[in-house]
Amino acid sequence: MERNVIVGQSGGPTAAINSSLAGVYRTAKDRGAKKVYGMLHGVQGLLEEKYIDLADHIKTELDAELLKRTPAAFLGSCRYKLPEIHENRDVYDKIFAILDKLDIEAFIYIGGNDSMDTIKKLSDYAIITGHPTRFIGCPKTIDNDLALTDHTPGYGSAAKYIGTSMKEIIRDGFCLEYEKGIVTIVEVMGRNAGWLTGATALSEGEDCEGPDLIYLPEIPFDLKKFGDKVRKLLEKKTSIVVAVSEGIRTDDGTYVCELGNSIDFVDAFGHKQLSGTASYLASFIAGEIGCKTRAIELSTLQRSASHAASRVDILEAYQVGGAAVKAADEGDSGKMVVLQRLSDDPYQCGTEVKDVHKIANDEKLVPRDWVNKEGTYVTSEFISYVRPLIQGDVSPVMVDGIPRHLYTPKELSHK
Ligand code: F6P
């Protein structure tokens, strides 16, 4: 590389997203980039010329190691949708003028399917205008719903945390006895894809039965059947634990969380704010059966639990960051790095690049035959797919009993 690189983070954060940032930084420097800039709050911040020089923040090897162990987007994130090129060229001209000013050779965007829309549009604009900057996507999302890649960095760590927490929740349920039993509903993120909710089954093993029921968003949810199932289970067990996706919907497409309250917040990509599914279902069961219920929303804990990160995930996140820079340096543009699984046992995975037009805005769902016939649990194929991704640990750097993170850039944390 002869000139500069700029990197941004976009969409929902993960426990591994900063490991990709560390991979981008290290590889860009190793390949000769003069400066590696970080956009603050992705392309939205770039439009306001908000960026930092990463060399001011990653000064030592220890800083890089801390960055890999720091959850949430170090640079700040955004959910910003670029207009279509024909709708508003001014936005594009502004971005490209900033890139020219910073002498940018490669633009790397770490994100999910919505963020790949940004790479797609910017790389298209570069082709239209004959601009030499290269645009490469670096995959990231706990949802694991990106097309053409075996899995996405961020998913393995979230799955590990979810499987572990589920196991602890199940244990807790058996401690206290309630006259009519207790039903605990655990709500997991993932919008329209059930990869994360299915990961609750990782709790199952010799010492744990796993959740009693798992409901993925891919399969329409029937409230009556659910009530009947729980009632039947309570005849045999004192504590029932149910995993539900935040995005489960009834037959007519209504989100279960909308049955309780209407959803007012919708983001730039048209995604409704999903929350409250567990609490709606817990009230429903309490009303129907009269037993004790509890609703647990794992919420942001599942995507920021870097203390429980998967080693495989953190290493792969670093690897895809490096592969993105390498691809740009070798002349690719309009592509995203994908992970390609070579074998399950021993687990081996490599990287490739694929056309971002085939990835942006698409959603990879859990195959129907990885869920049982009734739609209430995942199959052994699902477990075999996820298991390798949660292996190994990354020890946090503990200071005074609490994990140490790399300082948030003050440009982000102060007004
Ligand atoms: O994009 C990943 C994700 O974590 C989804 O699983 C979830 O629905 C969404 O982000 C939540 O986004 P926000 O933090 O913007 O509410």
Side-chain angles (χ1 to χ4, degrees):
M1 306 201 104
E2 285 163 8
R3 299 185 289 132
N4 302 327
V5 170
I6 192 160
V7 53
Q9 296 172 309
S10 163
T14 77
I17 186 169
N18 293 324
S19 188
S20 291
L21 181 62
V24 168
Y25 180 72
R26 185 72 274 145
T27 309
K29 281 290 177 193
D30 287 350
R31 287 187 162 248
K34 292 198 179 78
K35 280 189 186 290
V36 183
Y37 293 107
M39 305 168 213
L40 295 176
H41 295 295
V43 78
Q44 189 173 347
L46 182 67
L47 273 162
E48 294 170 27
E49 299 205 41
K50 290 185 180 161
Y51 51 82
I52 53 174
D53 181 344
L54 276 167
D56 295 336
H57 298 266
I58 310 173
K59 294 185 180 142
T60 62
E61 280 308 310
L62 178 62
D63 288 342
E65 286 305 313
L66 284 177
L67 182 59
K68 288 188 207 165
R69 289 162 173 79
T70 298
F74 180 74
L75 297 171
S77 190
C78 68
R79 292 201 189 277
Y80 179 82
K81 191 174 171 70
L82 278 171
E84 296 301 328
I85 295 172
H86 66 268
E87 281 171 9
N88 183 352
R89 288 179 76 120
D90 293 351
V91 174
Y92 292 86
D93 289 339
K94 189 163 180 196
I95 292 173
F96 279 78
I98 297 168
L99 299 182
D100 283 341
K101 187 172 125 189
L102 296 176
D103 198 21
I104 299 299
E105 182 174 347
F107 178 113
I108 313 289
Y109 216 37
I110 308 169
N113 30 28
D114 296 335
S115 314
M116 292 310 135
D117 180 71
T118 300
I119 285 293
K120 179 183 83 145
K121 287 171 175 160
L122 291 174
S123 59
D124 284 352
Y125 196 73
I127 291 173
I128 294 168
T129 54
H131 197 278
T133 297
R134 290 154 195 164
F135 297 86
I136 298 287
C138 182
K140 166 264 18 166
T141 166
I142 59 164
D143 296 353
N144 196 39
D145 59 352
L146 275 174
L148 304 190
T149 181
D150 178 78
H151 57 279
T152 55
Y155 173 59
S157 294
K160 187 178 179 102
Y161 175 81
I162 289 166
T164 307
S165 299
M166 185 45 112
K167 191 165 181 171
E168 291 164 352
I169 290 167
I170 293 168
R171 273 274 158 171
D172 187 276
F174 290 116
C175 292
L176 286 164
E177 271 209 334
Y178 297 97
E179 202 193 327
K180 292 184 175 178
I182 174 166
V183 178
T184 306
I185 319 274
V186 184
E187 177 175 332
V188 185
M189 279 184 168
R191 218 172 260 149
N192 302 319
W195 299 104
L196 289 168
T197 311
T200 55
L202 290 165
S203 56
E204 195 184 329
E206 281 172 13
D207 54 347
C208 179
E209 287 178 30
D212 296 283
L213 298 165
I214 301 178
Y215 290 101
L216 272 50
E218 285 86 349
I219 297 169
F221 184 79
D222 185 322
L223 205 54
K224 166 141 192 349
K225 277 194 190 155
F226 168 64
D228 293 346
K229 274 234 155 247
V230 170
R231 196 185 293 277
K232 267 222 139 73
L233 282 163
L234 277 174
E235 286 168 12
K236 288 192 243 142
K237 289 178 77 180
T238 54
S239 167
I240 307 301
V241 180
V242 182
V244 294
S245 162
E246 61 177 4
I248 51 171
R249 279 178 275 195
T250 54
D251 234 352
D252 64 1
T254 310
Y255 284 111
V256 169
C257 60
E258 280 181 291
L259 298 173
N261 285 305
S262 66
I263 301 174
D264 296 325
F265 185 80
V266 178
D267 72 18
F269 290 87
H271 305 304
K272 291 182 178 179
Q273 156 108 50
L274 302 175
S275 164
T277 306
S279 94
Y280 176 80
L281 292 177
S283 306
F284 170 75
I285 291 292
E288 289 284 303
I289 302 178
C291 61
K292 182 172 171 70
T293 60
R294 203 186 290 284
I296 300 176
E297 206 173 310
L298 293 182
S299 188
T300 55
L301 297 174
Q302 65 206 294
R303 66 185 190 196
S304 52
S306 57
H307 67 282
S310 143
R311 185 171 182 77
V312 166
D313 189 32
I314 297 297
L315 292 179
E316 286 183 347
Y318 189 84
Q319 189 186 353
V320 295
V325 173
K326 180 171 178 279
D329 194 22
E330 290 175 357
D332 279 315
S333 188
K335 306 256 172 79
M336 186 191 86
V337 176
V338 298
L339 285 161
Q340 216 187 25
R341 192 182 300 220
L342 306 171
S343 69
D344 270 332
D345 188 13
Y347 173 70
Q348 289 184 64
C349 203
T351 61
E352 268 191 63
V353 286
K354 294 258 167 90
D355 184 355
V356 79
H357 294 79
K358 296 191 176 132
I359 299 168
N361 305 313
D362 197 5
E363 277 178 321
K364 183 182 75 182
L365 304 180
V366 175
R368 182 61 187 88
D369 57 355
W370 283 13
V371 184
N372 69 6
K373 222 165 136 212
E374 271 189 297
T376 55
Y377 213 85
V378 289
T379 63
S380 56
E381 285 91 341
F382 183 99
I383 303 287
S384 310
Y385 163 80
V386 189
R387 187 79 71 191
L389 312 181
I390 66 162
Q391 299 305 312
D393 308 306
V394 182
S395 346
V397 176
M398 302 300 277
V399 176
D400 280 344
I402 297 286
R404 179 72 176 254
H405 300 148
L406 191 63
Y407 279 115
T408 306
K410 76 173 176 321
E411 296 86 336
L412 259 195
S413 55
H414 292 79
K415 287 201 165 167

